[in-house]
Amino acid sequence: MEARHISVLLPECIEALNIRPDGIYVDGTLGMGGHSAAIAERLTTGLLIGIDRDETAIQRAGERLKPFGERVKLVHGNFRNTAAILDQLGIAGVDGMLFDLGVSSPQLDEADRGFSYMHDAPLDMRMDASDELNAWFIVNCWPEEKLKRILYDYGEERHAPRIASTILRARAEKPIETTLQLVDVIRSAMPASALREKQHPAKRTFQAIRIAVNDELEAVRTLLDTAPDKLNPGGRLAVISFHSLEDRIVKLGIRSHEDGCTCPRDFPVCTCGFVQTLRSVTRKPIVPTDAELRDNPRARSAKLRVAERV
């Protein structure tokens, strides 16, 4: 059965992009193509460039987007390289960019991808199956201190030392091969009070490992550093994040293009050479409505930030 996927904050994204029928737009995290389809159907002579590092997503979205013909061009690549991809396509500037940083429903629901702590599968978690690093290697080969650090930094897991040391003891007996084996190890490390919490005990650990496997946070930093320069004046940048670490990077990345002057506050004029390139369209992030959350509970932690090229 094909996995169901509901595009998060879809009306809000379309409004934020302020789409022109003849404009050029980037969906840098194509997924199942829901956001892309909504953009493409608003184009006449314009172009949508869809990028994804998951070749399965490219294939599936390609089927969905076939009716739009030459209005859509799909590229297998990492969103962190958006600026370079546009250069390779000979596109000097675009009128809007959208990035949904979440894991898609198919990736979560298809057990063999290894993203979910609810299904048993080989430890993988790679967005791009051609990448060398996978979750198995992190869990079974990384040293304890490195494991503890990513659990703290990427998962904000307060029980990181207990989980890391328990993983090392378990793998010393035999390799941890599957997602549910890892879940059992995590549960065994948790104090009883943590196991009574509403949140699944493995959620933060799985988040941390997934981020490490796919180098997600550095990818977002690179994106925010380079992609805004490819926006035409008035073009919009829209980014959906799903946890506080990502949202903080997005907020600070936009701010660096908006208010990056390093001169002392008492200087009468700027001498550091900073030139503003972005302006926040919304000071606070846009979040899902109650109606969307009823239809799609996975959207509950989504935050959309929007900025405009000045």
Side-chain angles (χ1 to χ4, degrees):
M1 183 176 67
E2 185 170 321
R4 180 172 179 259
H5 178 73
I6 302 173
S7 298
V8 173
L9 292 165
L10 180 58
E12 292 84 352
C13 288
I14 297 306
E15 180 180 355
L17 288 172
N18 199 21
I19 298 167
R20 294 183 10 237
D22 62 345
I24 303 176
Y25 296 87
V26 171
D27 182 350
T29 46
L30 181 64
M32 293 294 287
H35 290 111
S36 284
I39 296 169
E41 68 185 12
R42 289 163 171 79
L43 302 178
T44 53
T45 58
L47 175 65
L48 170 71
I49 299 145
I51 304 169
D52 206 290
R53 63 192 299 184
D54 185 340
E55 290 190 281
T56 301
I58 293 282
Q59 294 166 6
R60 288 178 171 170
E63 290 298 315
R64 180 173 188 172
L65 299 170
K66 266 186 180 178
F68 301 109
E70 294 184 356
R71 276 181 279 171
V72 174
K73 182 174 184 59
L74 302 185
V75 179
H76 178 229
N78 192 321
F79 66 75
R80 74 190 299 165
N81 300 319
T82 295
I85 288 169
L86 292 173
D87 286 340
Q88 291 165 9
L89 296 174
I91 296 173
V94 301
D95 300 295
M97 297 180 178
L98 171 64
F99 301 92
D100 177 345
L101 304 179
V103 181
S104 72
S105 292
Q107 289 170 332
L108 286 172
D109 294 335
E110 294 172 0
D112 62 346
R113 303 299 299 272
F115 286 100
S116 175
Y117 43 77
M118 303 300 292
H119 307 290
D120 202 19
L123 279 171
D124 195 325
M125 301 193 199
R126 290 175 295 176
M127 298 283 191
D128 186 340
S130 67
D131 288 345
E132 291 186 8
L133 181 63
N134 62 16
W136 186 95
F137 189 85
I138 288 176
V139 169
N140 288 287
C141 301
W142 276 18
E144 184 173 353
E145 281 302 312
K146 197 171 182 181
L147 277 174
K148 185 169 68 175
R149 181 177 57 79
I150 66 165
L151 295 181
Y152 266 138
D153 293 348
Y154 299 165
E156 298 176 303
E157 174 55 76
R158 65 186 183 277
H159 302 298
R162 297 177 65 146
I163 294 171
S165 63
T166 304
I167 286 173
L168 258 73
R169 287 197 300 272
R171 78 189 196 192
E173 295 181 9
K174 63 177 182 178
I176 302 168
E177 300 285 356
T178 71
T179 51
L180 292 190
Q181 286 176 10
L182 178 58
V183 168
D184 287 342
V185 171
I186 295 166
R187 284 186 186 276
S188 72
M190 291 286 210
S193 58
L195 295 176
R196 289 194 295 268
E197 293 177 1
K198 185 176 180 181
Q199 181 171 271
H200 193 286
K203 180 178 179 180
R204 290 183 289 264
T205 296
F206 270 61
Q207 173 183 298
I209 294 170
R210 189 202 76 226
I211 288 172
V213 166
N214 297 290
D215 199 19
E216 292 177 26
L217 299 186
E218 188 56 38
V220 177
R221 291 188 184 96
T222 301
L223 167 71
L224 270 296
D225 186 47
T226 59
D229 291 338
K230 301 299 288 186
L231 282 168
N232 293 325
R236 295 282 184 88
L237 171 69
V239 186
I240 304 171
S241 61
F242 287 85
H243 56 78
S244 58
L245 290 170
E246 285 179 340
D247 181 58
R248 196 177 307 133
I249 291 170
V250 174
K251 180 174 69 174
L252 294 177
I254 291 173
R255 185 181 296 171
S256 71
H257 292 274
E258 185 175 30
D259 185 20
C261 177
T262 58
C263 296
R265 290 185 179 276
D266 57 352
F267 270 35
V269 295
C270 174
T271 59
C272 71
F274 172 74
V275 177
Q276 181 183 3
T277 54
L278 288 180
R279 174 185 65 84
S280 292
V281 175
T282 55
R283 286 294 169 185
K284 292 185 177 181
I286 299 166
V287 298
T289 62
D290 290 341
E292 178 171 1
L293 291 177
R294 284 193 295 270
D295 190 42
N296 184 20
R298 284 179 177 170
R300 64 186 175 274
S301 58
K303 293 182 178 180
L304 169 65
R305 292 189 184 270
V306 185
E308 183 176 276
R309 179 69 190 259
V310 297

